[in-house]
Amino acid sequence: MSPHREDEEPRPPAGFLGRTVRQRLMVIITLILGLTLLLTGVLTFAVQYATVSERVDRDLDQEIEELTQLAQSGPERDGRAYDNAGELFYDFISIAVAGEDEAFLGMLEGAQPVYSGGTGRSFDPTDPEILEAVSALDIGPGRAQTWTMRTQGTTLRLLVADVQLPGEDRQAQFVVLNDLGSQRAMVNRQVLTYTGVSILMLLAGGAVAHVALGRLLRPLQALRDATAQIHPEDLSMRVDVNTAENTDVAELAIRFNQMLDRIEDGVRQQRQFLDDAAHELRTPLTILRGNTELLQPDDPEDVATTRVLLLDELDRMQRLVDDLLILARAQRPDFIRRSPTELAELAVECMDRMTTLGERQWRLTADAEGEVLVDRQRLIQALLQLAANAVKFSEPGSIVELGTALVPGDDPRVPDAVAAGAAEAPEYITLSVTDQGRGIPESQLERVFDRFGRGDNSVNVEGSGLGLAIVKAIVEAHGGSVVVESTEGIGSRFTLWLPTDPPEEPQHSDVAE
């Protein structure tokens, strides 16, 4: 067995299952159309054959009934019945009009047969084979018998009736013959015509289906070509889709492009994340190495000083790694664990912890009450992070306020929250932290939530630059968004918008993908 090369394009197995989707659908459509035409033809012509046989028997019976009525009315039409079978046969044949495939034959003992028939008939009613077969019948006085016989290259349906007249002593038989074979041949010609038309319809339908399937499955072909060209180093390939086509296949291609957008964005952010993490870790590692190399082992004071510095750098690295782990977990389904939480109690608990962060005028405006379904621990973590930032960027004694509120879905501020990523909902919980600190330059508002993102006025402030990224990940996992309002020199307000009706699946922040 030869080894499989990864760069080889996999070949489909032979046979029907190995064909393309277009070919499979073509075969299925053709089979369904063919079976439909076949079933329609079988049922239609089976009914026609049965109808022909019933019509022939009905015509035979009708002619005998007319003969009986004529025999009873008499030659003068005065109700005095015929007493001469030859005269009855002659009069009936004279006035009765035989159909195109029909013939009448009157047979009287000791006399030549009297007959009449349609001009288009293909058989001779006085053929010896017919006369012999009729004479050989023993049907009983006044009775009739119907049967089918093959003669003269066709199939005849015959009805032989024994005629009994008052005063007539001779044996008399009246025969009605109908060319069943020619009428069936007409149906057979219709079958051939139907078969030819069905084949043409099948070919035409197959051609139309081939073209239609080609257009319908074009995005699928483009999708296959795109997947063959996509490489981890280049995820820019996209499938060309006509947005006007409202089909499942086109929708699949659109969703595929959207998936590639997310993957490309995720890969880009992961690469950026690794670059940023490497950059952030390089500094403490350089400090650790440099101070270790310069350490004087025989100088106790230098050892003690270096030890304090190294431990401080290790603590900073530990915080950085912990923050990175939180962001890594943000993409997992169990990142948040919702449980019924009382809003008022949540606000009080947060305020109790915030007051230990620094000497500020801490204020609580808890306007929201009631029980909500959130991850209490994660929300406390997010609010404490915002409070810690407020302490970092504000002066001692300044006001830092924690506010909670319930906001209806038609509030004019909701569109901004939705634009920031919050799911649409009839009602929202808002949790805000407001400070009187330095504020954030307007040009920096877009990047404060990026990993390792820092404003220009926070260069000398301690921190990893991951705090607000963690806040965003927690809020978006709840299906909400975080909105920042800030003015330099006046302060900032960070507001968490959480829908009271949480989405079925947790939403994850882009920073965690």
Side-chain angles (χ1 to χ4, degrees), residues 407 409-424 428 446 476 480-485 495-497:
V407 180
D410 56 357
D411 188 279
R413 295 171 294 172
V414 169
D416 292 336
V418 173
E424 295 185 1
Y428 294 86
E446 294 293 332
E476 291 189 349
S481 64
V482 55
V483 177
V484 57
E485 304 167 76
T495 304
L496 313 184
W497 289 79

mmCIF file with all atom_site columns, all heavy atoms in Angstrom, residues 407 409-424 428 446 476 480-485 495-497:
data_model
loop_
_atom_site.group_PDB
_atom_site.id
_atom_site.type_symbol
_atom_site.label_atom_id
_atom_site.label_alt_id
_atom_site.label_comp_id
_atom_site.label_asym_id
_atom_site.label_entity_id
_atom_site.label_seq_id
_atom_site.pdbx_PDB_ins_code
_atom_site.Cartn_x
_atom_site.Cartn_y
_atom_site.Cartn_z
_atom_site.occupancy
_atom_site.B_iso_or_equiv
_atom_site.pdbx_formal_charge
_atom_site.auth_seq_id
_atom_site.auth_comp_id
_atom_site.auth_asym_id
_atom_site.auth_atom_id
_atom_site.pdbx_PDB_model_num
ATOM 1   N N   . VAL A 1 407 ? -33.444 49.596 32.610 1.00 0.00 ? 407 VAL A N   1
ATOM 2   C CA  . VAL A 1 407 ? -33.711 50.494 31.485 1.00 0.00 ? 407 VAL A CA  1
ATOM 3   C C   . VAL A 1 407 ? -34.597 49.771 30.481 1.00 0.00 ? 407 VAL A C   1
ATOM 4   O O   . VAL A 1 407 ? -34.276 48.644 30.066 1.00 0.00 ? 407 VAL A O   1
ATOM 5   C CB  . VAL A 1 407 ? -32.396 50.938 30.809 1.00 0.00 ? 407 VAL A CB  1
ATOM 6   C CG1 . VAL A 1 407 ? -32.686 51.863 29.637 1.00 0.00 ? 407 VAL A CG1 1
ATOM 7   C CG2 . VAL A 1 407 ? -31.494 51.620 31.825 1.00 0.00 ? 407 VAL A CG2 1
ATOM 8   N N   . GLY A 1 409 ? -36.376 48.761 26.880 1.00 0.00 ? 409 GLY A N   1
ATOM 9   C CA  . GLY A 1 409 ? -35.767 48.574 25.564 1.00 0.00 ? 409 GLY A CA  1
ATOM 10  C C   . GLY A 1 409 ? -35.946 49.734 24.619 1.00 0.00 ? 409 GLY A C   1
ATOM 11  O O   . GLY A 1 409 ? -35.226 49.833 23.618 1.00 0.00 ? 409 GLY A O   1
ATOM 12  N N   . ASP A 1 410 ? -36.903 50.660 24.891 1.00 0.00 ? 410 ASP A N   1
ATOM 13  C CA  . ASP A 1 410 ? -37.115 51.809 24.009 1.00 0.00 ? 410 ASP A CA  1
ATOM 14  C C   . ASP A 1 410 ? -36.374 53.052 24.494 1.00 0.00 ? 410 ASP A C   1
ATOM 15  O O   . ASP A 1 410 ? -36.607 54.162 23.992 1.00 0.00 ? 410 ASP A O   1
ATOM 16  C CB  . ASP A 1 410 ? -38.612 52.110 23.886 1.00 0.00 ? 410 ASP A CB  1
ATOM 17  C CG  . ASP A 1 410 ? -39.272 52.349 25.255 1.00 0.00 ? 410 ASP A CG  1
ATOM 18  O OD1 . ASP A 1 410 ? -38.572 52.226 26.284 1.00 0.00 ? 410 ASP A OD1 1
ATOM 19  O OD2 . ASP A 1 410 ? -40.485 52.647 25.292 1.00 0.00 ? 410 ASP A OD2 1
ATOM 20  N N   . ASP A 1 411 ? -35.483 52.907 25.465 1.00 0.00 ? 411 ASP A N   1
ATOM 21  C CA  . ASP A 1 411 ? -34.699 54.044 25.944 1.00 0.00 ? 411 ASP A CA  1
ATOM 22  C C   . ASP A 1 411 ? -33.775 54.534 24.825 1.00 0.00 ? 411 ASP A C   1
ATOM 23  O O   . ASP A 1 411 ? -33.217 53.731 24.062 1.00 0.00 ? 411 ASP A O   1
ATOM 24  C CB  . ASP A 1 411 ? -33.865 53.608 27.163 1.00 0.00 ? 411 ASP A CB  1
ATOM 25  C CG  . ASP A 1 411 ? -33.182 54.775 27.838 1.00 0.00 ? 411 ASP A CG  1
ATOM 26  O OD1 . ASP A 1 411 ? -32.109 55.193 27.343 1.00 0.00 ? 411 ASP A OD1 1
ATOM 27  O OD2 . ASP A 1 411 ? -33.720 55.273 28.842 1.00 0.00 ? 411 ASP A OD2 1
ATOM 28  N N   . PRO A 1 412 ? -33.596 55.837 24.668 1.00 0.00 ? 412 PRO A N   1
ATOM 29  C CA  . PRO A 1 412 ? -32.757 56.352 23.560 1.00 0.00 ? 412 PRO A CA  1
ATOM 30  C C   . PRO A 1 412 ? -31.293 55.943 23.651 1.00 0.00 ? 412 PRO A C   1
ATOM 31  O O   . PRO A 1 412 ? -30.564 56.041 22.657 1.00 0.00 ? 412 PRO A O   1
ATOM 32  C CB  . PRO A 1 412 ? -32.906 57.877 23.697 1.00 0.00 ? 412 PRO A CB  1
ATOM 33  C CG  . PRO A 1 412 ? -33.420 58.117 25.073 1.00 0.00 ? 412 PRO A CG  1
ATOM 34  C CD  . PRO A 1 412 ? -34.231 56.926 25.426 1.00 0.00 ? 412 PRO A CD  1
ATOM 35  N N   . ARG A 1 413 ? -30.826 55.478 24.813 1.00 0.00 ? 413 ARG A N   1
ATOM 36  C CA  . ARG A 1 413 ? -29.433 55.041 24.922 1.00 0.00 ? 413 ARG A CA  1
ATOM 37  C C   . ARG A 1 413 ? -29.214 53.605 24.461 1.00 0.00 ? 413 ARG A C   1
ATOM 38  O O   . ARG A 1 413 ? -28.064 53.176 24.271 1.00 0.00 ? 413 ARG A O   1
ATOM 39  C CB  . ARG A 1 413 ? -28.984 55.165 26.388 1.00 0.00 ? 413 ARG A CB  1
ATOM 40  C CG  . ARG A 1 413 ? -28.951 56.580 26.934 1.00 0.00 ? 413 ARG A CG  1
ATOM 41  C CD  . ARG A 1 413 ? -28.711 56.568 28.428 1.00 0.00 ? 413 ARG A CD  1
ATOM 42  N NE  . ARG A 1 413 ? -29.851 55.954 29.134 1.00 0.00 ? 413 ARG A NE  1
ATOM 43  C CZ  . ARG A 1 413 ? -29.839 55.677 30.434 1.00 0.00 ? 413 ARG A CZ  1
ATOM 44  N NH1 . ARG A 1 413 ? -28.773 55.916 31.163 1.00 0.00 ? 413 ARG A NH1 1
ATOM 45  N NH2 . ARG A 1 413 ? -30.921 55.129 31.005 1.00 0.00 ? 413 ARG A NH2 1
ATOM 46  N N   . VAL A 1 414 ? -30.317 52.859 24.288 1.00 0.00 ? 414 VAL A N   1
ATOM 47  C CA  . VAL A 1 414 ? -30.199 51.438 23.937 1.00 0.00 ? 414 VAL A CA  1
ATOM 48  C C   . VAL A 1 414 ? -29.515 51.220 22.589 1.00 0.00 ? 414 VAL A C   1
ATOM 49  O O   . VAL A 1 414 ? -28.686 50.307 22.465 1.00 0.00 ? 414 VAL A O   1
ATOM 50  C CB  . VAL A 1 414 ? -31.591 50.760 23.978 1.00 0.00 ? 414 VAL A CB  1
ATOM 51  C CG1 . VAL A 1 414 ? -31.536 49.368 23.365 1.00 0.00 ? 414 VAL A CG1 1
ATOM 52  C CG2 . VAL A 1 414 ? -32.095 50.692 25.413 1.00 0.00 ? 414 VAL A CG2 1
ATOM 53  N N   . PRO A 1 415 ? -29.831 52.007 21.532 1.00 0.00 ? 415 PRO A N   1
ATOM 54  C CA  . PRO A 1 415 ? -29.147 51.762 20.242 1.00 0.00 ? 415 PRO A CA  1
ATOM 55  C C   . PRO A 1 415 ? -27.630 51.794 20.343 1.00 0.00 ? 415 PRO A C   1
ATOM 56  O O   . PRO A 1 415 ? -26.943 51.020 19.671 1.00 0.00 ? 415 PRO A O   1
ATOM 57  C CB  . PRO A 1 415 ? -29.680 52.900 19.356 1.00 0.00 ? 415 PRO A CB  1
ATOM 58  C CG  . PRO A 1 415 ? -31.022 53.211 19.925 1.00 0.00 ? 415 PRO A CG  1
ATOM 59  C CD  . PRO A 1 415 ? -30.874 53.038 21.404 1.00 0.00 ? 415 PRO A CD  1
ATOM 60  N N   . ASP A 1 416 ? -27.086 52.696 21.197 1.00 0.00 ? 416 ASP A N   1
ATOM 61  C CA  . ASP A 1 416 ? -25.625 52.726 21.355 1.00 0.00 ? 416 ASP A CA  1
ATOM 62  C C   . ASP A 1 416 ? -25.120 51.440 21.999 1.00 0.00 ? 416 ASP A C   1
ATOM 63  O O   . ASP A 1 416 ? -24.063 50.915 21.624 1.00 0.00 ? 416 ASP A O   1
ATOM 64  C CB  . ASP A 1 416 ? -25.221 53.922 22.213 1.00 0.00 ? 416 ASP A CB  1
ATOM 65  C CG  . ASP A 1 416 ? -25.479 55.251 21.514 1.00 0.00 ? 416 ASP A CG  1
ATOM 66  O OD1 . ASP A 1 416 ? -25.516 55.252 20.269 1.00 0.00 ? 416 ASP A OD1 1
ATOM 67  O OD2 . ASP A 1 416 ? -25.659 56.273 22.208 1.00 0.00 ? 416 ASP A OD2 1
ATOM 68  N N   . ALA A 1 417 ? -25.883 50.922 22.973 1.00 0.00 ? 417 ALA A N   1
ATOM 69  C CA  . ALA A 1 417 ? -25.486 49.672 23.619 1.00 0.00 ? 417 ALA A CA  1
ATOM 70  C C   . ALA A 1 417 ? -25.558 48.503 22.653 1.00 0.00 ? 417 ALA A C   1
ATOM 71  O O   . ALA A 1 417 ? -24.685 47.627 22.646 1.00 0.00 ? 417 ALA A O   1
ATOM 72  C CB  . ALA A 1 417 ? -26.364 49.411 24.841 1.00 0.00 ? 417 ALA A CB  1
ATOM 73  N N   . VAL A 1 418 ? -26.610 48.481 21.825 1.00 0.00 ? 418 VAL A N   1
ATOM 74  C CA  . VAL A 1 418 ? -26.741 47.407 20.824 1.00 0.00 ? 418 VAL A CA  1
ATOM 75  C C   . VAL A 1 418 ? -25.631 47.517 19.797 1.00 0.00 ? 418 VAL A C   1
ATOM 76  O O   . VAL A 1 418 ? -25.045 46.506 19.363 1.00 0.00 ? 418 VAL A O   1
ATOM 77  C CB  . VAL A 1 418 ? -28.126 47.471 20.165 1.00 0.00 ? 418 VAL A CB  1
ATOM 78  C CG1 . VAL A 1 418 ? -28.215 46.482 19.003 1.00 0.00 ? 418 VAL A CG1 1
ATOM 79  C CG2 . VAL A 1 418 ? -29.218 47.172 21.194 1.00 0.00 ? 418 VAL A CG2 1
ATOM 80  N N   . ALA A 1 419 ? -25.322 48.739 19.375 1.00 0.00 ? 419 ALA A N   1
ATOM 81  C CA  . ALA A 1 419 ? -24.238 48.925 18.411 1.00 0.00 ? 419 ALA A CA  1
ATOM 82  C C   . ALA A 1 419 ? -22.905 48.455 18.980 1.00 0.00 ? 419 ALA A C   1
ATOM 83  O O   . ALA A 1 419 ? -22.021 48.003 18.241 1.00 0.00 ? 419 ALA A O   1
ATOM 84  C CB  . ALA A 1 419 ? -24.145 50.393 18.007 1.00 0.00 ? 419 ALA A CB  1
ATOM 85  N N   . ALA A 1 420 ? -22.764 48.534 20.301 1.00 0.00 ? 420 ALA A N   1
ATOM 86  C CA  . ALA A 1 420 ? -21.526 48.076 20.944 1.00 0.00 ? 420 ALA A CA  1
ATOM 87  C C   . ALA A 1 420 ? -21.485 46.564 21.115 1.00 0.00 ? 420 ALA A C   1
ATOM 88  O O   . ALA A 1 420 ? -20.458 46.020 21.533 1.00 0.00 ? 420 ALA A O   1
ATOM 89  C CB  . ALA A 1 420 ? -21.358 48.762 22.304 1.00 0.00 ? 420 ALA A CB  1
ATOM 90  N N   . GLY A 1 421 ? -22.603 45.881 20.825 1.00 0.00 ? 421 GLY A N   1
ATOM 91  C CA  . GLY A 1 421 ? -22.602 44.417 20.875 1.00 0.00 ? 421 GLY A CA  1
ATOM 92  C C   . GLY A 1 421 ? -23.647 43.789 21.747 1.00 0.00 ? 421 GLY A C   1
ATOM 93  O O   . GLY A 1 421 ? -23.738 42.554 21.816 1.00 0.00 ? 421 GLY A O   1
ATOM 94  N N   . ALA A 1 422 ? -24.485 44.566 22.420 1.00 0.00 ? 422 ALA A N   1
ATOM 95  C CA  . ALA A 1 422 ? -25.516 43.981 23.281 1.00 0.00 ? 422 ALA A CA  1
ATOM 96  C C   . ALA A 1 422 ? -26.628 43.375 22.446 1.00 0.00 ? 422 ALA A C   1
ATOM 97  O O   . ALA A 1 422 ? -26.984 43.885 21.378 1.00 0.00 ? 422 ALA A O   1
ATOM 98  C CB  . ALA A 1 422 ? -26.095 45.048 24.213 1.00 0.00 ? 422 ALA A CB  1
ATOM 99  N N   . ALA A 1 423 ? -27.190 42.271 22.936 1.00 0.00 ? 423 ALA A N   1
ATOM 100 C CA  . ALA A 1 423 ? -28.328 41.649 22.259 1.00 0.00 ? 423 ALA A CA  1
ATOM 101 C C   . ALA A 1 423 ? -29.577 42.505 22.497 1.00 0.00 ? 423 ALA A C   1
ATOM 102 O O   . ALA A 1 423 ? -29.730 43.143 23.543 1.00 0.00 ? 423 ALA A O   1
ATOM 103 C CB  . ALA A 1 423 ? -28.548 40.238 22.794 1.00 0.00 ? 423 ALA A CB  1
ATOM 104 N N   . GLU A 1 424 ? -30.457 42.533 21.511 1.00 0.00 ? 424 GLU A N   1
ATOM 105 C CA  . GLU A 1 424 ? -31.692 43.284 21.657 1.00 0.00 ? 424 GLU A CA  1
ATOM 106 C C   . GLU A 1 424 ? -32.595 42.592 22.674 1.00 0.00 ? 424 GLU A C   1
ATOM 107 O O   . GLU A 1 424 ? -32.743 41.376 22.673 1.00 0.00 ? 424 GLU A O   1
ATOM 108 C CB  . GLU A 1 424 ? -32.397 43.415 20.313 1.00 0.00 ? 424 GLU A CB  1
ATOM 109 C CG  . GLU A 1 424 ? -31.615 44.238 19.293 1.00 0.00 ? 424 GLU A CG  1
ATOM 110 C CD  . GLU A 1 424 ? -32.404 44.451 18.012 1.00 0.00 ? 424 GLU A CD  1
ATOM 111 O OE1 . GLU A 1 424 ? -33.552 43.965 17.943 1.00 0.00 ? 424 GLU A OE1 1
ATOM 112 O OE2 . GLU A 1 424 ? -31.877 45.097 17.097 1.00 0.00 ? 424 GLU A OE2 1
ATOM 113 N N   . TYR A 1 428 ? -33.135 46.122 30.052 1.00 0.00 ? 428 TYR A N   1
ATOM 114 C CA  . TYR A 1 428 ? -31.710 45.935 30.333 1.00 0.00 ? 428 TYR A CA  1
ATOM 115 C C   . TYR A 1 428 ? -31.413 46.299 31.784 1.00 0.00 ? 428 TYR A C   1
ATOM 116 O O   . TYR A 1 428 ? -32.081 47.146 32.390 1.00 0.00 ? 428 TYR A O   1
ATOM 117 C CB  . TYR A 1 428 ? -30.853 46.830 29.419 1.00 0.00 ? 428 TYR A CB  1
ATOM 118 C CG  . TYR A 1 428 ? -30.922 46.470 27.965 1.00 0.00 ? 428 TYR A CG  1
ATOM 119 C CD1 . TYR A 1 428 ? -31.931 46.984 27.155 1.00 0.00 ? 428 TYR A CD1 1
ATOM 120 C CD2 . TYR A 1 428 ? -29.990 45.621 27.381 1.00 0.00 ? 428 TYR A CD2 1
ATOM 121 C CE1 . TYR A 1 428 ? -32.001 46.669 25.803 1.00 0.00 ? 428 TYR A CE1 1
ATOM 122 C CE2 . TYR A 1 428 ? -30.048 45.299 26.042 1.00 0.00 ? 428 TYR A CE2 1
ATOM 123 C CZ  . TYR A 1 428 ? -31.065 45.825 25.257 1.00 0.00 ? 428 TYR A CZ  1
ATOM 124 O OH  . TYR A 1 428 ? -31.130 45.500 23.920 1.00 0.00 ? 428 TYR A OH  1
ATOM 125 N N   . GLU A 1 446 ? -11.725 54.048 21.393 1.00 0.00 ? 446 GLU A N   1
ATOM 126 C CA  . GLU A 1 446 ? -11.959 52.823 20.629 1.00 0.00 ? 446 GLU A CA  1
ATOM 127 C C   . GLU A 1 446 ? -11.033 51.693 21.049 1.00 0.00 ? 446 GLU A C   1
ATOM 128 O O   . GLU A 1 446 ? -11.357 50.529 20.858 1.00 0.00 ? 446 GLU A O   1
ATOM 129 C CB  . GLU A 1 446 ? -11.791 53.101 19.130 1.00 0.00 ? 446 GLU A CB  1
ATOM 130 C CG  . GLU A 1 446 ? -12.829 54.045 18.550 1.00 0.00 ? 446 GLU A CG  1
ATOM 131 C CD  . GLU A 1 446 ? -14.220 53.438 18.559 1.00 0.00 ? 446 GLU A CD  1
ATOM 132 O OE1 . GLU A 1 446 ? -14.319 52.194 18.488 1.00 0.00 ? 446 GLU A OE1 1
ATOM 133 O OE2 . GLU A 1 446 ? -15.204 54.194 18.631 1.00 0.00 ? 446 GLU A OE2 1
ATOM 134 N N   . GLU A 1 476 ? -19.785 40.597 27.511 1.00 0.00 ? 476 GLU A N   1
ATOM 135 C CA  . GLU A 1 476 ? -20.259 40.012 26.263 1.00 0.00 ? 476 GLU A CA  1
ATOM 136 C C   . GLU A 1 476 ? -20.661 38.549 26.445 1.00 0.00 ? 476 GLU A C   1
ATOM 137 O O   . GLU A 1 476 ? -21.517 38.044 25.722 1.00 0.00 ? 476 GLU A O   1
ATOM 138 C CB  . GLU A 1 476 ? -19.194 40.149 25.181 1.00 0.00 ? 476 GLU A CB  1
ATOM 139 C CG  . GLU A 1 476 ? -18.994 41.597 24.746 1.00 0.00 ? 476 GLU A CG  1
ATOM 140 C CD  . GLU A 1 476 ? -18.112 41.732 23.533 1.00 0.00 ? 476 GLU A CD  1
ATOM 141 O OE1 . GLU A 1 476 ? -17.476 40.720 23.146 1.00 0.00 ? 476 GLU A OE1 1
ATOM 142 O OE2 . GLU A 1 476 ? -18.052 42.840 22.973 1.00 0.00 ? 476 GLU A OE2 1
ATOM 143 N N   . GLY A 1 480 ? -24.257 41.092 26.692 1.00 0.00 ? 480 GLY A N   1
ATOM 144 C CA  . GLY A 1 480 ? -24.350 42.537 26.815 1.00 0.00 ? 480 GLY A CA  1
ATOM 145 C C   . GLY A 1 480 ? -23.184 43.253 26.177 1.00 0.00 ? 480 GLY A C   1
ATOM 146 O O   . GLY A 1 480 ? -22.432 42.693 25.372 1.00 0.00 ? 480 GLY A O   1
ATOM 147 N N   . SER A 1 481 ? -23.015 44.518 26.550 1.00 0.00 ? 481 SER A N   1
ATOM 148 C CA  . SER A 1 481 ? -21.920 45.328 26.026 1.00 0.00 ? 481 SER A CA  1
ATOM 149 C C   . SER A 1 481 ? -21.518 46.332 27.089 1.00 0.00 ? 481 SER A C   1
ATOM 150 O O   . SER A 1 481 ? -22.260 46.595 28.044 1.00 0.00 ? 481 SER A O   1
ATOM 151 C CB  . SER A 1 481 ? -22.334 46.051 24.737 1.00 0.00 ? 481 SER A CB  1
ATOM 152 O OG  . SER A 1 481 ? -23.385 46.978 25.005 1.00 0.00 ? 481 SER A OG  1
ATOM 153 N N   . VAL A 1 482 ? -20.336 46.889 26.911 1.00 0.00 ? 482 VAL A N   1
ATOM 154 C CA  . VAL A 1 482 ? -19.844 47.917 27.816 1.00 0.00 ? 482 VAL A CA  1
ATOM 155 C C   . VAL A 1 482 ? -19.627 49.195 27.012 1.00 0.00 ? 482 VAL A C   1
ATOM 156 O O   . VAL A 1 482 ? -19.017 49.173 25.945 1.00 0.00 ? 482 VAL A O   1
ATOM 157 C CB  . VAL A 1 482 ? -18.547 47.466 28.530 1.00 0.00 ? 482 VAL A CB  1
ATOM 158 C CG1 . VAL A 1 482 ? -17.482 47.047 27.540 1.00 0.00 ? 482 VAL A CG1 1
ATOM 159 C CG2 . VAL A 1 482 ? -18.029 48.568 29.441 1.00 0.00 ? 482 VAL A CG2 1
ATOM 160 N N   . VAL A 1 483 ? -20.166 50.296 27.522 1.00 0.00 ? 483 VAL A N   1
ATOM 161 C CA  . VAL A 1 483 ? -20.089 51.589 26.848 1.00 0.00 ? 483 VAL A CA  1
ATOM 162 C C   . VAL A 1 483 ? -19.334 52.555 27.747 1.00 0.00 ? 483 VAL A C   1
ATOM 163 O O   . VAL A 1 483 ? -19.579 52.618 28.961 1.00 0.00 ? 483 VAL A O   1
ATOM 164 C CB  . VAL A 1 483 ? -21.500 52.142 26.549 1.00 0.00 ? 483 VAL A CB  1
ATOM 165 C CG1 . VAL A 1 483 ? -21.423 53.517 25.910 1.00 0.00 ? 483 VAL A CG1 1
ATOM 166 C CG2 . VAL A 1 483 ? -22.267 51.176 25.646 1.00 0.00 ? 483 VAL A CG2 1
ATOM 167 N N   . VAL A 1 484 ? -18.405 53.310 27.154 1.00 0.00 ? 484 VAL A N   1
ATOM 168 C CA  . VAL A 1 484 ? -17.614 54.252 27.928 1.00 0.00 ? 484 VAL A CA  1
ATOM 169 C C   . VAL A 1 484 ? -17.916 55.674 27.454 1.00 0.00 ? 484 VAL A C   1
ATOM 170 O O   . VAL A 1 484 ? -18.019 55.935 26.263 1.00 0.00 ? 484 VAL A O   1
ATOM 171 C CB  . VAL A 1 484 ? -16.099 53.948 27.806 1.00 0.00 ? 484 VAL A CB  1
ATOM 172 C CG1 . VAL A 1 484 ? -15.642 53.967 26.353 1.00 0.00 ? 484 VAL A CG1 1
ATOM 173 C CG2 . VAL A 1 484 ? -15.289 54.922 28.633 1.00 0.00 ? 484 VAL A CG2 1
ATOM 174 N N   . GLU A 1 485 ? -18.085 56.564 28.433 1.00 0.00 ? 485 GLU A N   1
ATOM 175 C CA  . GLU A 1 485 ? -18.237 57.991 28.174 1.00 0.00 ? 485 GLU A CA  1
ATOM 176 C C   . GLU A 1 485 ? -17.157 58.690 28.985 1.00 0.00 ? 485 GLU A C   1
ATOM 177 O O   . GLU A 1 485 ? -17.034 58.465 30.194 1.00 0.00 ? 485 GLU A O   1
ATOM 178 C CB  . GLU A 1 485 ? -19.610 58.484 28.609 1.00 0.00 ? 485 GLU A CB  1
ATOM 179 C CG  . GLU A 1 485 ? -20.763 57.722 27.963 1.00 0.00 ? 485 GLU A CG  1
ATOM 180 C CD  . GLU A 1 485 ? -22.084 58.030 28.641 1.00 0.00 ? 485 GLU A CD  1
ATOM 181 O OE1 . GLU A 1 485 ? -22.624 59.138 28.389 1.00 0.00 ? 485 GLU A OE1 1
ATOM 182 O OE2 . GLU A 1 485 ? -22.551 57.187 29.423 1.00 0.00 ? 485 GLU A OE2 1
ATOM 183 N N   . THR A 1 495 ? -20.320 51.871 31.605 1.00 0.00 ? 495 THR A N   1
ATOM 184 C CA  . THR A 1 495 ? -21.656 51.318 31.866 1.00 0.00 ? 495 THR A CA  1
ATOM 185 C C   . THR A 1 495 ? -21.765 49.930 31.248 1.00 0.00 ? 495 THR A C   1
ATOM 186 O O   . THR A 1 495 ? -21.496 49.754 30.047 1.00 0.00 ? 495 THR A O   1
ATOM 187 C CB  . THR A 1 495 ? -22.758 52.214 31.280 1.00 0.00 ? 495 THR A CB  1
ATOM 188 O OG1 . THR A 1 495 ? -22.611 53.543 31.803 1.00 0.00 ? 495 THR A OG1 1
ATOM 189 C CG2 . THR A 1 495 ? -24.135 51.686 31.629 1.00 0.00 ? 495 THR A CG2 1
ATOM 190 N N   . LEU A 1 496 ? -22.139 48.953 32.071 1.00 0.00 ? 496 LEU A N   1
ATOM 191 C CA  . LEU A 1 496 ? -22.380 47.592 31.597 1.00 0.00 ? 496 LEU A CA  1
ATOM 192 C C   . LEU A 1 496 ? -23.868 47.452 31.270 1.00 0.00 ? 496 LEU A C   1
ATOM 193 O O   . LEU A 1 496 ? -24.721 47.703 32.131 1.00 0.00 ? 496 LEU A O   1
ATOM 194 C CB  . LEU A 1 496 ? -21.978 46.563 32.652 1.00 0.00 ? 496 LEU A CB  1
ATOM 195 C CG  . LEU A 1 496 ? -20.616 46.742 33.331 1.00 0.00 ? 496 LEU A CG  1
ATOM 196 C CD1 . LEU A 1 496 ? -20.359 45.574 34.271 1.00 0.00 ? 496 LEU A CD1 1
ATOM 197 C CD2 . LEU A 1 496 ? -19.510 46.870 32.311 1.00 0.00 ? 496 LEU A CD2 1
ATOM 198 N N   . TRP A 1 497 ? -24.169 47.064 30.043 1.00 0.00 ? 497 TRP A N   1
ATOM 199 C CA  . TRP A 1 497 ? -25.561 46.856 29.601 1.00 0.00 ? 497 TRP A CA  1
ATOM 200 C C   . TRP A 1 497 ? -25.801 45.356 29.483 1.00 0.00 ? 497 TRP A C   1
ATOM 201 O O   . TRP A 1 497 ? -25.184 44.679 28.650 1.00 0.00 ? 497 TRP A O   1
ATOM 202 C CB  . TRP A 1 497 ? -25.813 47.525 28.249 1.00 0.00 ? 497 TRP A CB  1
ATOM 203 C CG  . TRP A 1 497 ? -25.845 49.022 28.314 1.00 0.00 ? 497 TRP A CG  1
ATOM 204 C CD1 . TRP A 1 497 ? -24.783 49.869 28.378 1.00 0.00 ? 497 TRP A CD1 1
ATOM 205 C CD2 . TRP A 1 497 ? -27.014 49.848 28.328 1.00 0.00 ? 497 TRP A CD2 1
ATOM 206 N NE1 . TRP A 1 497 ? -25.209 51.167 28.422 1.00 0.00 ? 497 TRP A NE1 1
ATOM 207 C CE2 . TRP A 1 497 ? -26.586 51.190 28.396 1.00 0.00 ? 497 TRP A CE2 1
ATOM 208 C CE3 . TRP A 1 497 ? -28.388 49.582 28.291 1.00 0.00 ? 497 TRP A CE3 1
ATOM 209 C CZ2 . TRP A 1 497 ? -27.464 52.259 28.426 1.00 0.00 ? 497 TRP A CZ2 1
ATOM 210 C CZ3 . TRP A 1 497 ? -29.271 50.648 28.311 1.00 0.00 ? 497 TRP A CZ3 1
ATOM 211 C CH2 . TRP A 1 497 ? -28.815 51.965 28.387 1.00 0.00 ? 497 TRP A CH2 1
#
